[in-house]
Amino acid sequence: MLTKRLAMCAELVSGDGIACDVGTDHAYLAAELLRSGKCKKVIASDVAEGPLRAAKKTLDQTGLIDRSEIVLSDGLLNVPSDGVTDVVIAGMGGETIAHILDKCSWIKNDVNIILQPMTKISFLRKWLCKNGFDILCEKIVCEGRFFYTVIKAKYDGEIHELSEFEYEIGKFDWNYDDVKAYGRFRYSQLAKLSKQVEKIAPETSDVYIRLMHEIKIKCGYME
Ligand SMILES: C[S@@+](CC[C@H](N)C(=O)[O-])C[C@H]1O[C@@H](n2cnc3c(N)ncnc32)[C@H](O)[C@@H]1O
């Protein structure tokens, strides 16, 4: 069974064609996309041989290897684009994800993109918006003490602009409990940070206070 984080990535896959799982590691996501019947074929790619051996083992053991293509590739550079409708890049830093997208020209051809950055999430949002990608939705997944952001995006060639709040916190539907829990988590983080910097960087402290104020409105009363 997939972790909630990878299950959310799988949920956002369109299932209209071939999904490519970039940085597949053990190919758990790729295997589940096939097992569940969502995809008829997957590409499991990774930059390193070790993870690809693990991917092959998973796909062999689950009897799904015939419907899988295992590709050694830095990002999408060696991945064949034919029939690829979905690209998932999960479990990597925001800068690495942006770099992978930047180096791939066919990602602009109506591909459904699912991103699960572990770090530098606001950097990734800004990069996407500046480089012609539309952030269609964002989800939050809560696993134990950790929150994970999953972004669904597509290239449309337009320059997009989000609000300061959306760049820093996210473009979520605030009706979900996990999103509200994430809001409370970010609120307490920002409260500490704004105190720490209020003397040395009052403008930054003001930004944090603005974000906290908006979180409070989105989540409702939270003290
Ligand atoms: C932390 S694992 C994440 C595995 C899985 N995607 C997940 O979210 O659970 C990161 C994987 O990405 C691979 N990776 C890192 N940089 C990469 C790149 N530029 N291109 C392809 N794979 C990469 C690593 O080799 C590793 O297997």
Side-chain angles (χ1 to χ4, degrees), residues 83-128:
V84 174
T85 53
D86 296 83
V87 164
V88 183
I89 313 176
M92 290 183 217
E95 285 170 331
T96 304
I97 292 175
H99 183 73
I100 289 173
L101 296 174
D102 195 37
K103 293 282 163 240
C104 177
S105 55
W106 57 261
I107 201 75
K108 297 176 175 172
N109 302 340
D110 203 29
V111 177
N112 185 37
I113 305 165
I114 297 114
L115 309 171
Q116 191 278 297
M118 302 301 271
T119 58
K120 303 271 174 124
I121 307 175
S122 29
F123 166 87
L124 180 61
R125 289 188 190 104
K126 284 174 192 158
W127 187 90
L128 289 167

Side-chain angles (χ1 to χ4, degrees), residues 42-163:
V42 295
I43 298 172
S45 77
D46 206 287
V47 75
E49 299 270 9
L52 288 184
R53 275 194 293 278
K56 183 171 182 310
K57 193 169 167 193
T58 300
L59 293 162
D60 266 334
Q61 284 175 347
T62 46
L64 300 165
I65 196 82
D66 292 349
R67 292 193 282 142
S68 317
E69 192 172 341
I70 295 176
V71 179
L72 181 66
S73 177
D74 181 1
L76 289 155
L77 292 180
N78 297 333
V79 172
S81 64
D82 272 6
V84 174
T85 53
D86 296 83
V87 164
V88 183
I89 313 176
M92 290 183 217
E95 285 170 331
T96 304
I97 292 175
H99 183 73
I100 289 173
L101 296 174
D102 195 37
K103 293 282 163 240
C104 177
S105 55
W106 57 261
I107 201 75
K108 297 176 175 172
N109 302 340
D110 203 29
V111 177
N112 185 37
I113 305 165
I114 297 114
L115 309 171
Q116 191 278 297
M118 302 301 271
T119 58
K120 303 271 174 124
I121 307 175
S122 29
F123 166 87
L124 180 61
R125 289 188 190 104
K126 284 174 192 158
W127 187 90
L128 289 167
C129 288
K130 246 198 340 203
N131 287 277
F133 294 85
D134 189 13
I135 296 178
L136 301 171
C137 71
E138 288 193 42
K139 306 283 181 186
I140 278 287
V141 175
C142 178
E143 265 181 28
R145 291 186 300 117
F146 299 101
F147 291 96
Y148 299 101
T149 301
V150 185
I151 298 173
K152 180 170 157 168
K154 195 174 256 194
Y155 183 83
D156 66 2
E158 305 282 325
I159 307 298
H160 294 271
E161 188 98 24
L162 299 184
S163 65

